[in-house]
Amino acid sequence: LSGDATGNLDALSSLTVKLENDQVELDLTGSLTLQPEFSASGAAVAHYIDPQLIYSELQGQVTASAEVAVDADGKLTANQLRAEGEINGTVVNASGDAELAGNYWRCSSCSLAVGSNTIALNGYQDGGHMTLSVSLDAPELSELWPGLIGSATAEAVIEGDGGNLEIDWQHQDFAVSAKSALQYNEQNVSGTVQSATVAMRDVDSWELQRPFGFTLGGQGTSLDSSEWSGELGRIRIAELGVVDGNVRILADMQNIPLEAGNSFLPENYRLSGTARADIDLRYEAERWNGTASWVQDETSLRVTEVNGDISTLSVPKAEARAEFVDNRMIADGVIEVDPGVSGKLQFSLEDLKPDAQLS
């Protein structure tokens, strides 16, 4: 820490401060008033900002600058905020004007560009009231944040304690679009998914049949009952949630086309057939209880060899069932493969932990 100052006990008309450590170098130039009330203003430039300050998997360097001011009430203003640099090999730029004071914050004409992705934000929050608009245009989500995949566009508008969200996400053979109404407070975000569509390669789109509610944050995440339908199949989710560390899943699926699994297989492997499933699981007091079953009907696996030859494996019947009792799992399965081959499997796990013993 080093610096120079010119002034008296009431005010410093000229102030220069330099702060250096292993992760950032900060230069401040401006003025400081102590009497009759405190205020400070000037220019701030931060060099060599290490993005690992935000997240350990981010690497690179960023430089940021702004015209800053602090008043007697502690309100921090950063106008003409600019940032540029490189994170994980991707060029990053940001701009906007911002204010922060206690439970109040404002971001005006704020934008962030990470590679080909852009985020625009404009609005403020004052205690429990928020007025905010956010837009996302991300053709390459993996550049935006480590671990994200695909591409997405989104628009969100919040006014007071309510708002709307529209999102479209795509990745290879999958596409999801949804529209939701939001309710916001300081504890959680809740709302209603009004419409949604899930599209997959080789399978007709799945449509949400009726709106359903959801709650995020607070003591957990929960979804109200929902039903999805494709050309032939149906998925019904009666309960799904994680609240206070407890998990509840109650769902059933009928006539699910196995072609939906082709996106996870090599190109020369193609599945066909249908499946049905029932899930009734609870996790409470660190114990799993419930049942789960899976049944495939008239499964066919077609394999195309390098030389163009095609072979087909026919599985008329495949069933699996598991029962969970106080963290103990007992499972059995049956499979039939043409021509005339069948088998059965039974096993149990005494305790559902990473070191569980199989018998």
Side-chain angles (χ1 to χ4, degrees):
L1 175 66
S2 60
D4 294 302
T6 301
N8 53 43
L9 294 178
D10 293 330
L12 300 176
S13 59
S14 175
L15 176 66
T16 301
V17 177
K18 178 182 287 289
L19 174 65
E20 296 181 76
N21 61 27
D22 295 336
Q23 295 176 309
V24 67
E25 179 182 305
L26 178 63
D27 292 316
L28 296 171
T29 58
S31 60
L32 176 67
T33 299
L34 301 175
Q35 299 292 337
E37 64 178 21
F38 175 85
S39 67
S41 62
V45 180
H47 304 275
Y48 317 118
I49 302 172
D50 187 345
Q52 288 187 334
L53 287 166
I54 301 173
Y55 186 56
S56 61
E57 293 188 21
L58 300 179
Q59 297 182 355
Q61 283 188 349
V62 176
T63 297
S65 63
E67 296 294 324
V68 298
V70 181
D71 65 18
D73 297 323
K75 182 176 77 172
L76 172 64
T77 302
N79 290 326
Q80 302 179 43
L81 176 62
R82 301 289 183 271
E84 59 182 17
E86 187 174 286
I87 297 177
N88 289 354
T90 302
V91 175
V92 175
N93 289 280
S95 62
D97 298 320
E99 289 183 7
L100 178 63
N103 293 326
Y104 170 85
W105 63 262
R106 175 184 62 84
C107 199
S108 300
S109 303
C110 294
S111 66
L112 171 66
V114 182
S116 58
N117 309 286
T118 58
I119 299 174
L121 184 151
N122 194 69
Y124 71 93
Q125 180 179 4
D126 189 358
H129 179 88
M130 178 181 290
T131 296
L132 182 68
S133 63
V134 183
S135 65
L136 168 70
D137 183 4
E140 191 56 64
L141 284 168
S142 61
E143 294 179 343
L144 187 62
W145 194 260
L148 296 180
I149 58 175
S151 62
T153 60
E155 295 280 347
V157 176
I158 297 176
E159 180 65 45
D161 59 357
N164 297 283
L165 170 66
E166 296 185 22
I167 185 167
D168 291 281
W169 174 82
Q170 296 181 354
H171 175 60
Q172 295 179 350
D173 302 323
F174 291 87
V176 178
S177 62
K179 295 182 179 180
S180 301
L182 303 176
Q183 294 292 320
Y184 165 82
N185 60 49
E186 294 180 337
Q187 285 73 44
N188 58 48
V189 175
S190 62
T192 302
V193 178
Q194 299 167 322
S195 63
T197 302
V198 179
M200 294 177 283
R201 188 181 68 174
D202 300 334
V203 179
D204 288 325
S205 298
W206 291 82
E207 301 282 347
L208 178 66
Q209 294 304 294
R210 62 177 184 273
F212 70 91
F214 64 89
T215 302
L216 306 175
Q219 297 180 332
T221 299
S222 62
L223 308 180
D224 294 343
S225 63
S226 64
E227 186 170 334
W228 303 74
S229 294
E231 182 179 12
L232 300 174
R234 175 181 61 81
I235 300 174
R236 184 180 63 183
I237 302 172
E239 294 183 58
L240 181 60
V242 181
V243 180
D244 290 332
N246 297 325
V247 180
R248 180 68 172 119
I249 307 172
L250 179 60
D252 70 87
M253 298 181 285
Q254 302 294 328
N255 296 323
I256 304 302
L258 294 177
E259 287 86 347
N262 287 334
S263 298
F264 304 99
L265 297 176
E267 284 294 327
N268 60 324
Y269 285 75
R270 297 290 94 181
L271 266 176
S272 63
T274 59
R276 58 188 187 275
D278 288 281
I279 303 172
D280 184 356
L281 293 176
R282 301 173 303 281
Y283 179 76
E284 299 173 345
E286 300 184 347
R287 290 288 186 269
W288 283 102
N289 287 277
T291 59
S293 65
W294 176 270
V295 179
Q296 291 179 203
D297 298 312
E298 301 300 331
T299 303
S300 176
L301 176 63
R302 189 184 67 198
V303 181
T304 304
E305 306 294 343
V306 176
N307 61 6
D309 291 344
I310 297 176
S311 57
T312 301
L313 177 67
S314 179
V315 183
K317 182 179 181 180
E319 298 181 4
R321 186 180 186 278
E323 183 178 5
F324 301 82
V325 180
D326 288 336
N327 246 28
R328 182 172 185 258
M329 183 180 74
I330 304 169
D332 60 76
V334 177
I335 188 169
E336 296 179 0
V337 181
D338 283 342
V341 178
S342 63
K344 294 183 179 181
L345 174 66
Q346 291 183 325
F347 69 93
S348 64
L349 289 171
E350 295 304 314
D351 197 0
L352 291 176
K353 293 181 178 179
D355 57 351
Q357 304 220 343
L358 181 66
S359 61

Coordinates of all heavy atoms in Angstrom, one line a residue, residues 219-277:
Q219 N -36.1 -23.1 1.8 CA -35.7 -24.4 2.4 C -35.5 -25.5 1.3 O -35.2 -26.7 1.7 CB -36.8 -24.8 3.4 CG -36.9 -23.8 4.6 CD -37.9 -24.3 5.5 OE1 -38.9 -24.9 5.2 NE2 -37.7 -23.9 6.8
G220 N -35.7 -25.2 0.0 CA -35.5 -26.3 -1.0 C -36.1 -25.9 -2.3 O -36.5 -24.8 -2.5
T221 N -36.3 -27.0 -3.1 CA -36.9 -26.8 -4.4 C -38.0 -27.8 -4.5 O -37.8 -29.0 -4.2 CB -35.8 -27.1 -5.5 OG1 -34.8 -26.2 -5.4 CG2 -36.4 -27.0 -6.9
S222 N -39.1 -27.4 -5.0 CA -40.3 -28.3 -5.2 C -41.0 -27.9 -6.5 O -41.1 -26.8 -6.9 CB -41.2 -28.3 -4.0 OG -41.8 -27.0 -3.8
L223 N -41.6 -29.0 -7.1 CA -42.4 -28.8 -8.3 C -43.8 -29.4 -8.1 O -43.9 -30.5 -7.5 CB -41.8 -29.5 -9.5 CG -40.3 -29.2 -9.9 CD1 -39.9 -30.0 -11.1 CD2 -40.1 -27.7 -10.1
D224 N -44.8 -28.7 -8.5 CA -46.1 -29.3 -8.4 C -46.3 -30.3 -9.5 O -45.4 -30.5 -10.4 CB -47.2 -28.2 -8.6 CG -47.2 -27.2 -7.4 OD1 -46.6 -27.5 -6.4 OD2 -47.7 -26.1 -7.6
S225 N -47.4 -31.0 -9.5 CA -47.7 -32.1 -10.4 C -47.7 -31.6 -11.8 O -48.2 -30.5 -12.1 CB -49.0 -32.9 -10.1 OG -50.1 -32.0 -10.2
S226 N -47.2 -32.4 -12.8 CA -47.2 -32.0 -14.2 C -47.4 -33.2 -15.0 O -47.1 -34.4 -14.6 CB -45.9 -31.3 -14.6 OG -44.8 -32.2 -14.4
E227 N -47.8 -33.0 -16.3 CA -48.0 -34.1 -17.2 C -47.5 -33.7 -18.6 O -47.8 -32.6 -19.0 CB -49.5 -34.5 -17.3 CG -49.8 -35.8 -18.1 CD -51.2 -36.3 -18.0 OE1 -51.8 -36.1 -16.9 OE2 -51.7 -36.9 -18.9
W228 N -46.8 -34.6 -19.2 CA -46.2 -34.4 -20.5 C -46.7 -35.5 -21.5 O -46.8 -36.6 -21.1 CB -44.7 -34.4 -20.4 CG -44.1 -33.4 -19.5 CD1 -44.1 -33.5 -18.1 CD2 -43.4 -32.2 -19.8 NE1 -43.5 -32.5 -17.5 CE2 -43.0 -31.6 -18.5 CE3 -43.1 -31.6 -20.9 CZ2 -42.4 -30.4 -18.4 CZ3 -42.4 -30.4 -20.9 CH2 -42.0 -29.8 -19.6
S229 N -46.9 -35.1 -22.7 CA -47.4 -36.1 -23.7 C -46.7 -35.9 -25.0 O -46.4 -34.8 -25.5 CB -48.9 -35.9 -24.0 OG -49.6 -36.2 -22.8
G230 N -46.3 -37.0 -25.6 CA -45.8 -37.1 -27.0 C -46.8 -37.7 -27.9 O -48.0 -37.8 -27.5
E231 N -46.4 -38.1 -29.1 CA -47.3 -38.7 -30.0 C -48.0 -40.0 -29.4 O -49.2 -40.2 -29.6 CB -46.7 -39.0 -31.3 CG -47.6 -39.6 -32.4 CD -46.9 -39.9 -33.7 OE1 -45.6 -39.9 -33.7 OE2 -47.6 -40.2 -34.7
L232 N -47.2 -40.8 -28.7 CA -47.7 -42.1 -28.1 C -47.6 -42.1 -26.6 O -48.4 -42.7 -26.0 CB -46.9 -43.2 -28.7 CG -47.0 -43.4 -30.3 CD1 -46.0 -44.5 -30.7 CD2 -48.4 -43.7 -30.7
G233 N -46.5 -41.5 -26.1 CA -46.2 -41.7 -24.7 C -46.8 -40.6 -23.8 O -47.3 -39.6 -24.2
R234 N -46.6 -40.9 -22.5 CA -47.0 -39.9 -21.4 C -46.1 -40.0 -20.2 O -45.7 -41.1 -19.8 CB -48.5 -40.3 -21.0 CG -49.0 -39.4 -19.9 CD -50.4 -39.8 -19.5 NE -50.5 -41.2 -19.0 CZ -50.1 -41.5 -17.8 NH1 -49.7 -40.7 -16.9 NH2 -50.2 -42.8 -17.4
I235 N -45.8 -38.9 -19.7 CA -45.0 -38.8 -18.4 C -45.8 -38.0 -17.4 O -46.2 -36.9 -17.7 CB -43.6 -38.2 -18.6 CG1 -42.8 -39.0 -19.6 CG2 -42.9 -38.1 -17.3 CD1 -41.5 -38.3 -20.0
R236 N -46.0 -38.6 -16.3 CA -46.8 -37.9 -15.2 C -45.9 -37.8 -14.0 O -45.4 -38.8 -13.5 CB -48.1 -38.6 -14.9 CG -48.9 -37.8 -13.8 CD -50.2 -38.6 -13.5 NE -49.9 -39.9 -12.9 CZ -50.8 -40.8 -12.6 NH1 -52.1 -40.5 -12.8 NH2 -50.5 -41.9 -12.0
I237 N -45.6 -36.6 -13.5 CA -44.8 -36.3 -12.3 C -45.8 -35.8 -11.3 O -46.2 -34.7 -11.3 CB -43.7 -35.3 -12.6 CG1 -42.8 -35.8 -13.7 CG2 -42.9 -35.1 -11.3 CD1 -41.8 -34.8 -14.2
A238 N -46.1 -36.7 -10.3 CA -47.0 -36.3 -9.2 C -46.4 -35.5 -8.2 O -46.9 -34.5 -7.7 CB -47.7 -37.5 -8.6
E239 N -45.1 -35.8 -7.8 CA -44.4 -35.1 -6.8 C -42.9 -35.1 -7.1 O -42.4 -36.2 -7.5 CB -44.6 -35.7 -5.4 CG -46.0 -35.6 -4.8 CD -46.0 -36.2 -3.4 OE1 -45.3 -35.7 -2.5 OE2 -46.8 -37.1 -3.2
L240 N -42.2 -34.0 -7.0 CA -40.8 -33.9 -7.2 C -40.3 -32.8 -6.4 O -40.7 -31.6 -6.6 CB -40.5 -33.7 -8.7 CG -39.0 -33.7 -9.0 CD1 -38.3 -34.9 -8.7 CD2 -38.8 -33.4 -10.5
G241 N -39.4 -33.0 -5.5 CA -38.9 -31.9 -4.6 C -37.8 -32.3 -3.7 O -37.6 -33.5 -3.4
V242 N -37.0 -31.3 -3.3 CA -35.9 -31.5 -2.3 C -36.2 -30.4 -1.3 O -35.9 -29.2 -1.6 CB -34.5 -31.4 -2.9 CG1 -33.5 -31.6 -1.8 CG2 -34.3 -32.5 -3.9
V243 N -36.7 -30.7 -0.1 CA -37.0 -29.7 0.9 C -36.4 -30.2 2.3 O -36.6 -31.3 2.7 CB -38.5 -29.6 1.1 CG1 -38.9 -28.5 2.2 CG2 -39.2 -29.2 -0.2
D244 N -35.6 -29.2 2.9 CA -34.9 -29.5 4.1 C -34.1 -30.8 4.1 O -34.0 -31.6 5.0 CB -36.0 -29.6 5.3 CG -36.6 -28.3 5.6 OD1 -35.9 -27.3 5.4 OD2 -37.7 -28.3 6.1
G245 N -33.5 -31.1 2.9 CA -32.7 -32.2 2.8 C -33.4 -33.5 2.5 O -32.8 -34.6 2.2
N246 N -34.7 -33.5 2.5 CA -35.6 -34.6 2.2 C -35.9 -34.6 0.7 O -36.2 -33.6 0.1 CB -36.8 -34.7 3.0 CG -36.5 -34.8 4.5 OD1 -35.5 -35.4 4.9 ND2 -37.3 -34.1 5.3
V247 N -36.0 -35.8 0.1 CA -36.3 -36.0 -1.3 C -37.6 -36.8 -1.5 O -37.8 -37.8 -0.8 CB -35.1 -36.7 -2.1 CG1 -35.4 -36.8 -3.6 CG2 -33.8 -36.0 -1.9
R248 N -38.4 -36.3 -2.4 CA -39.6 -37.0 -2.8 C -39.8 -37.1 -4.3 O -39.7 -36.1 -5.0 CB -40.8 -36.3 -2.1 CG -42.2 -37.0 -2.4 CD -42.3 -38.3 -1.7 NE -43.6 -38.9 -1.8 CZ -43.9 -40.1 -2.4 NH1 -42.9 -40.8 -3.0 NH2 -45.1 -40.6 -2.5
I249 N -39.9 -38.3 -4.8 CA -40.1 -38.5 -6.2 C -41.3 -39.5 -6.4 O -41.3 -40.6 -5.9 CB -38.9 -39.1 -6.9 CG1 -37.6 -38.3 -6.6 CG2 -39.1 -39.2 -8.4 CD1 -36.4 -38.9 -7.1
L250 N -42.3 -39.1 -7.1 CA -43.5 -39.9 -7.4 C -43.8 -39.6 -8.9 O -44.3 -38.6 -9.2 CB -44.7 -39.6 -6.5 CG -45.9 -40.5 -6.7 CD1 -45.6 -41.9 -6.6 CD2 -47.0 -40.0 -5.8
A251 N -43.6 -40.6 -9.8 CA -43.8 -40.4 -11.2 C -44.1 -41.7 -11.9 O -43.7 -42.8 -11.4 CB -42.6 -39.7 -11.8
D252 N -44.7 -41.6 -13.0 CA -44.8 -42.8 -13.9 C -44.7 -42.4 -15.3 O -45.1 -41.3 -15.7 CB -46.2 -43.5 -13.6 CG -47.4 -42.7 -14.1 OD1 -47.8 -42.9 -15.2 OD2 -47.9 -42.0 -13.2
M253 N -44.3 -43.3 -16.2 CA -44.1 -43.1 -17.6 C -44.7 -44.3 -18.4 O -44.6 -45.4 -18.0 CB -42.6 -43.0 -17.9 CG -41.9 -41.8 -17.3 SD -40.1 -41.7 -17.7 CE -39.5 -43.1 -16.7
Q254 N -45.4 -43.9 -19.4 CA -46.1 -44.9 -20.3 C -45.7 -44.7 -21.7 O -45.7 -43.6 -22.2 CB -47.6 -44.9 -20.1 CG -48.1 -45.0 -18.6 CD -47.8 -46.4 -18.1 OE1 -47.8 -47.4 -18.9 NE2 -47.6 -46.5 -16.8
N255 N -45.4 -45.9 -22.4 CA -45.1 -45.9 -23.8 C -44.0 -44.9 -24.2 O -44.2 -44.1 -25.2 CB -46.4 -45.6 -24.6 CG -47.4 -46.7 -24.5 OD1 -47.1 -47.9 -24.4 ND2 -48.7 -46.3 -24.4
I256 N -43.0 -44.9 -23.5 CA -41.8 -44.0 -23.8 C -41.0 -44.5 -24.9 O -40.6 -45.7 -24.9 CB -40.9 -43.8 -22.6 CG1 -41.8 -43.3 -21.4 CG2 -39.8 -42.8 -22.9 CD1 -42.5 -42.0 -21.6
P257 N -40.9 -43.8 -26.1 CA -40.1 -44.4 -27.2 C -38.6 -44.5 -26.8 O -38.0 -43.5 -26.4 CB -40.4 -43.4 -28.3 CG -40.8 -42.1 -27.6 CD -41.4 -42.5 -26.3
L258 N -38.1 -45.7 -27.0 CA -36.6 -45.8 -26.7 C -35.7 -45.1 -27.6 O -34.5 -44.9 -27.4 CB -36.3 -47.3 -26.7 CG -37.0 -48.2 -25.6 CD1 -36.6 -49.6 -25.8 CD2 -36.6 -47.7 -24.2
E259 N -36.3 -44.6 -28.8 CA -35.5 -43.8 -29.7 C -34.9 -42.6 -29.0 O -33.9 -42.0 -29.5 CB -36.3 -43.4 -30.9 CG -36.6 -44.5 -31.9 CD -37.8 -45.3 -31.5 OE1 -38.3 -45.2 -30.3 OE2 -38.3 -46.1 -32.3
A260 N -35.5 -42.2 -27.9 CA -35.0 -41.0 -27.1 C -33.6 -41.3 -26.6 O -32.8 -40.3 -26.4 CB -35.9 -40.7 -26.0
G261 N -33.2 -42.5 -26.5 CA -31.9 -42.9 -26.0 C -30.8 -42.8 -27.1 O -29.6 -43.0 -26.8
N262 N -31.2 -42.7 -28.4 CA -30.2 -42.8 -29.5 C -29.2 -41.6 -29.4 O -28.1 -41.8 -29.9 CB -31.0 -42.7 -30.8 CG -31.6 -44.0 -31.1 OD1 -31.2 -45.1 -30.6 ND2 -32.7 -44.0 -31.9
S263 N -29.6 -40.5 -28.8 CA -28.7 -39.4 -28.7 C -27.5 -39.7 -27.8 O -26.4 -39.1 -27.9 CB -29.4 -38.2 -28.2 OG -30.4 -37.8 -29.0
F264 N -27.6 -40.7 -27.0 CA -26.5 -41.1 -26.1 C -25.7 -42.2 -26.6 O -24.7 -42.7 -25.9 CB -27.1 -41.4 -24.7 CG -27.9 -40.3 -24.1 CD1 -29.3 -40.4 -24.1 CD2 -27.3 -39.2 -23.5 CE1 -30.1 -39.4 -23.6 CE2 -28.1 -38.2 -22.9 CZ -29.4 -38.3 -23.0
L265 N -26.0 -42.8 -27.7 CA -25.4 -43.9 -28.3 C -24.5 -43.5 -29.5 O -24.7 -42.5 -30.1 CB -26.4 -44.9 -28.8 CG -27.3 -45.6 -27.7 CD1 -28.3 -46.5 -28.4 CD2 -26.5 -46.3 -26.7
P266 N -23.5 -44.3 -29.8 CA -22.7 -44.1 -31.1 C -23.6 -44.1 -32.3 O -24.7 -44.7 -32.3 CB -21.8 -45.3 -31.1 CG -21.7 -45.8 -29.7 CD -23.0 -45.5 -29.1
E267 N -23.2 -43.4 -33.3 CA -24.1 -43.2 -34.5 C -24.5 -44.5 -35.1 O -25.5 -44.6 -35.8 CB -23.3 -42.3 -35.5 CG -23.3 -40.8 -35.2 CD -24.7 -40.2 -35.2 OE1 -25.5 -40.6 -36.0 OE2 -25.0 -39.3 -34.4
N268 N -23.7 -45.5 -35.0 CA -24.0 -46.8 -35.7 C -24.9 -47.7 -34.8 O -25.2 -48.8 -35.2 CB -22.7 -47.5 -36.1 CG -21.8 -47.9 -34.9 OD1 -21.7 -47.1 -33.9 ND2 -21.2 -49.0 -34.9
Y269 N -25.4 -47.2 -33.7 CA -26.3 -47.9 -32.8 C -27.6 -47.2 -32.8 O -27.7 -46.0 -32.5 CB -25.7 -48.0 -31.4 CG -24.6 -49.0 -31.2 CD1 -23.3 -48.7 -31.6 CD2 -24.8 -50.2 -30.5 CE1 -22.3 -49.6 -31.5 CE2 -23.8 -51.1 -30.4 CZ -22.5 -50.8 -30.8 OH -21.5 -51.7 -30.7
R270 N -28.7 -48.0 -33.1 CA -30.0 -47.4 -33.1 C -31.0 -48.2 -32.3 O -31.1 -49.4 -32.5 CB -30.6 -47.2 -34.5 CG -29.8 -46.3 -35.4 CD -29.9 -44.8 -35.0 NE -28.8 -44.4 -34.1 CZ -28.7 -43.2 -33.6 NH1 -29.6 -42.3 -33.8 NH2 -27.6 -43.0 -32.9
L271 N -31.7 -47.6 -31.3 CA -32.6 -48.3 -30.5 C -34.1 -48.1 -31.0 O -34.3 -47.0 -31.5 CB -32.6 -47.8 -29.0 CG -31.7 -48.5 -28.0 CD1 -31.7 -47.8 -26.7 CD2 -32.2 -50.0 -27.8
S272 N -34.9 -49.0 -30.8 CA -36.4 -48.8 -31.0 C -37.1 -49.7 -30.0 O -36.6 -50.6 -29.4 CB -36.8 -49.2 -32.5 OG -36.5 -50.5 -32.7
G273 N -38.4 -49.3 -29.9 CA -39.2 -50.0 -28.9 C -39.9 -49.0 -27.9 O -39.8 -47.8 -28.1
T274 N -40.5 -49.5 -26.9 CA -41.1 -48.6 -25.9 C -40.8 -49.1 -24.5 O -40.4 -50.2 -24.3 CB -42.7 -48.6 -26.1 OG1 -43.2 -49.9 -25.9 CG2 -43.0 -48.0 -27.4
A275 N -41.0 -48.2 -23.5 CA -40.7 -48.5 -22.1 C -41.8 -47.9 -21.3 O -42.4 -46.9 -21.7 CB -39.3 -48.1 -21.7
R276 N -41.9 -48.4 -20.1 CA -42.8 -47.8 -19.1 C -42.1 -48.0 -17.7 O -41.3 -48.9 -17.5 CB -44.2 -48.5 -19.0 CG -44.2 -50.0 -18.8 CD -45.6 -50.5 -19.0 NE -45.7 -51.9 -18.6 CZ -45.4 -52.9 -19.4 NH1 -45.0 -52.7 -20.6 NH2 -45.5 -54.2 -18.9
A277 N -42.4 -47.0 -16.8 CA -41.7 -47.0 -15.5 C -42.6 -46.4 -14.5 O -43.5 -45.6 -14.8 CB -40.4 -46.2 -15.7

